[in-house]
Amino acid sequence: MRTVPATGRKLISVAAASAALLTAATATVAVAQDGTTGAAAVPAAQTEAAPGTPAERLIVGYKSGASEATSNKAAEADAVAKGKETGEDVDFQRRLGTGAALVDLGDSATTADVADVVAEYRADPQVAYVVADRLNKPMATPNDTEYGKQWDLFEDTAGMRVPGAWDLSTGSGVTVAVIDTGYVAHSDLAANIVGGYDFISDTAVSVDGDGRDSNPADPGDWYAAGDCGTGVPASNSSWHGTHVAGTIAAATNNSKGVAGIAYGAKVSPLRVLGKCGGYDSDIIDAITWASGGTVSGVPANANVAKVINMSLGGDGACTSATQSAINAAVSRGTTVVVAAGNENDNVANHSPGNCNNVISVAATNRSGAKASYSNYGSLVDISAPGGQTSTGTANGILSTLNSGTKTPSTESYTYYQGTSMATPHIAGLVALMKSANSALTPAQIESAIKTNARPLPGSCSGGCGAGLADATKAVQAVSGSGGTGGTTFTSTSAIAVPDAGSAIESPIGVSGLTGNAPSTLKVAVDVTHTYRGDLVIDLVAPDGSAYRLKSSSSSDSADDVRTTYTVDASSETANGTWKLRVQDMYAQDTGTLNSWALTF
């Protein structure tokens, strides 16, 4: 099996070329070379590791019945066969934690070459998906110690009202995986760091002299001008993962530094971002391992996380490969919290903020309005303080850092801004909630955060989710001591949804409540279906009254329905048997109702 020298890799910063992707996304490239005929055009953006840079690796997901889905030998033989058909050098590299195959195309493949291989895989009926192994980047907007400076935790106007939650929970017993740049030693954080892993397999990205290992130490992610693409200026090391980790779980009541939101929790640093960013394939394996899944060649995780923080992202749609990893993590009971992104754009254009089954977080400034840089849109779930240093450095988010411009030096504290900073606020809140009530599912956690959010104190154009997260109300709700939405009833019995068949119904028995249901009854739905426009979904009250949650749509070709609906059910008696009715109206696609929940 050929190994591509790391020095031949062409990595560029996604940040430097984010605008280019929006143009490239509509372009297509020819895919008919010698050995291929009749292949459909492949969008250029789907063949790139970053805008303008052809992918050197592809992530291939095989259907469950295919031998390539479980046999490395079969996957390798398939890669060789695809290479012969297209005239390219295609090599199987390794099996990802989700079961997908990572295949290498080398560092000299053109966009057209990559498109040929992509088209060949797509034409194979045993292949569920094939996507480029894309390059991601940190989502912070760094700038240049002390609880009194942490307005984001306690200020009445736009703070997340964390102190009231500490009366009920500090996050004890919960591990949060921070999938980021790793961790640089800091005395205000060290007591809450547990074992993690360095998942960066490419030494040109890792810059620590080796590939994957059990040491997630951050050596620095600085780069010189042009290292990450033509025109990309030089950048100092960000120590991004350490800043994120400090917001979540910096040591508290220790007479120094800053306070962590879930200071009783532990942080497991997983290193996936290095020089110029990091690849989807490494991030996918980190998601899998963090949540207790198995990754080939990596020891079992002794610190399984119930919360994952991903303050990172790139451009384009959420790929099937990444979505598969997220779905598996959630199915194992891990809540995945992600940054919406910093492009002042619709989050629909940026992954993983646009993935399903995540809590996508937008950023607010010190006045409680959407931060100028924050992404927005209907896919945003919640907002949290991310800071805005353009109005004053102290209006950023203060957390743990290091003073080294390239390699580690002395520990420090610095203000940063970004959705990267907003995301750990929510990850920390999830840890508080999970510690207060260990039985909570990811869907229940998301629902409780949304239900107990308060309206944004400032303005937001384009959509900032359910509002500004309120830690006190959310933790009170799930611990049964106040808040809204503290009583949740869940069905986890999976039911197949027949193709163009009769409607299926899943019951939930509600008891112990008094009076009528609320006017803001929350209905969390998790349905997998490869063309969700086929589906009609209704909530059926105990008296038989039906409330339409989702209508069918011939133009909605996206996968799956994983969202929370709000229903005015104030005319309905709360106690009784409620049902979720799902019907597939059109042929060719089947699905499964995995679970659903009612929050009163």
Side-chain angles (χ1 to χ4, degrees):
M1 191 180 303
R2 176 170 55 84
T3 301
V4 181
T7 53
R9 298 228 179 267
K10 302 186 290 294
L11 303 179
I12 75 166
S13 169
V14 178
S18 60
L21 180 61
L22 301 180
T23 301
T26 57
T28 57
V29 294
V31 296
Q33 294 183 344
D34 293 340
T36 63
T37 58
V42 177
Q46 297 181 21
T47 66
E48 298 173 333
T53 301
E56 297 175 13
R57 297 176 293 216
L58 300 174
I59 301 171
V60 182
Y62 290 95
K63 295 181 179 178
S64 59
S67 59
E68 294 90 348
T70 55
S71 167
N72 289 353
K73 184 176 181 180
E76 184 171 1
D78 189 42
V80 171
K82 297 292 192 291
K84 288 181 179 179
E85 288 294 324
T86 58
E88 305 299 333
D89 192 0
V90 185
D91 289 334
F92 170 78
Q93 291 290 292
R94 70 172 189 269
R95 182 80 56 182
L96 303 188
T98 56
L102 182 67
V103 297
D104 190 272
L105 309 179
D107 56 9
S108 60
T110 66
T111 299
D113 295 336
V114 178
D116 280 344
V117 178
V118 169
E120 191 67 28
Y121 272 109
R122 284 182 171 178
D124 187 338
Q126 297 302 312
V127 172
Y129 61 82
V130 55
V131 297
D133 188 7
R134 299 187 309 198
L135 182 66
N136 295 258
K137 64 178 179 66
M139 276 296 184
T141 308
N143 280 278
D144 291 16
T145 233
E146 314 116 336
Y147 177 66
K149 299 176 181 178
Q150 292 180 273
W151 62 267
D152 48 304
L153 303 191
F154 61 78
E155 278 193 354
D156 289 338
T157 300
M160 204 174 74
R161 299 180 175 173
V162 175
W166 288 335
D167 293 336
L168 299 169
S169 176
T170 64
S172 176
V174 178
T175 297
V176 183
V178 174
I179 298 179
D180 213 292
T181 64
Y183 165 67
V184 61
H186 200 293
S187 64
D188 202 15
L189 191 52
N192 285 336
I193 297 294
V194 296
Y197 207 81
D198 181 355
F199 277 93
I200 303 178
S201 54
D202 190 321
T203 54
V205 178
S206 69
V207 299
D208 61 358
D210 54 33
R212 292 183 168 185
D213 57 44
S214 61
N215 181 11
D218 186 349
D221 57 355
W222 68 275
Y223 49 83
D227 279 357
C228 299
T230 303
V232 179
S235 177
N236 291 335
S237 289
S238 68
W239 316 113
H240 187 268
T242 301
H243 197 281
V244 168
T247 296
I248 296 170
T252 304
N253 298 318
N254 63 342
S255 301
K256 68 177 295 183
V258 295
I261 291 170
Y263 59 83
K266 302 300 182 183
V267 167
S268 173
L270 306 186
R271 188 168 179 252
V272 299
L273 301 177
K275 184 176 181 179
C276 303
Y279 282 105
D280 280 357
S281 53
D282 293 335
I283 294 168
I284 287 167
D285 278 353
I287 294 170
T288 302
W289 190 80
S291 58
T294 301
V295 176
S296 179
V298 180
N301 185 1
N303 300 291
V304 174
K306 288 305 177 184
V307 192
I308 287 175
N309 185 104
M310 291 201 290
S311 293
L312 50 79
D315 296 309
C318 180
T319 68
S320 300
T322 297
Q323 188 65 66
S324 178
I326 290 170
N327 291 348
V330 172
S331 73
R332 287 188 281 266
T334 300
T335 301
V336 181
V337 187
V338 303
N342 297 335
E343 293 78 18
N344 189 27
D345 185 27
N346 195 312
V347 68
N349 301 316
H350 306 276
S351 174
N354 56 8
C355 293
N356 292 319
N357 241 4
V358 301
I359 301 178
S360 184
V361 186
T364 53
N365 59 27
R366 197 167 182 172
S367 66
K370 184 187 85 70
S372 61
Y373 54 80
S374 178
N375 287 347
Y376 52 83
S378 62
L379 297 180
V380 170
D381 293 300
I382 195 70
S383 295
Q388 187 159 331
T389 56
S390 63
T391 59
T393 300
N395 293 334
I397 305 300
L398 186 66
S399 189
T400 47
L401 212 73
N402 191 277
S403 64
T405 57
K406 292 185 177 180
T407 57
S409 182
T410 57
E411 64 180 44
S412 64
Y413 301 86
T414 299
Y415 291 97
Y416 274 2
Q417 67 172 22
T419 55
S420 275
M421 285 57 259
T423 304
H425 283 75
I426 300 302
L429 173 53
V430 174
L432 294 177
M433 297 167 71
K434 190 69 175 176
S435 178
N437 185 346
S438 61
L440 290 171
T441 67
Q444 291 170 335
I445 288 170
E446 179 179 346
S447 177
I449 290 174
K450 291 179 177 180
T451 301
N452 291 283
R454 57 190 173 114
L456 241 58
S459 62
C460 172
S461 177
C464 287
L468 182 61
D470 187 318
T472 296
K473 286 184 66 178
V475 175
Q476 286 175 341
V478 300
S479 62
S481 58
T484 303
T487 306
T488 299
F489 300 84
T490 304
S491 172
T492 57
S493 299
I495 304 175
V497 180
D499 186 26
S502 302
I504 59 97
E505 291 185 342
S506 174
I508 288 179
V510 175
S511 62
L513 303 181
T514 58
N516 286 2
S519 59
T520 55
L521 179 65
K522 303 297 182 181
V523 188
V525 177
D526 182 347
V527 180
T528 51
H529 194 282
T530 50
Y531 197 105
R532 68 185 182 203
D534 290 358
L535 300 178
V536 172
I537 303 176
D538 294 294
L539 175 68
V540 182
D543 68 355
S545 300
Y547 295 82
R548 178 60 48 92
L549 304 180
K550 180 191 175 301
S551 300
S552 61
S553 172
S554 59
S555 62
D556 187 0
S557 61
D559 293 347
D560 308 331
V561 180
R562 289 190 174 93
T563 191
T564 299
Y565 299 96
T566 300
V567 175
D568 182 356
S570 56
S571 64
E572 305 290 345
T573 301
N575 291 331
T577 300
W578 296 74
K579 298 177 182 178
L580 191 74
R581 179 187 295 156
V582 183
Q583 185 170 12
D584 186 338
M585 306 298 292
Y586 302 100
Q588 297 184 346
D589 295 275
T590 59
T592 303
L593 170 60
N594 301 302
S595 64
W596 70 288
L598 289 170
T599 300
F600 291 83

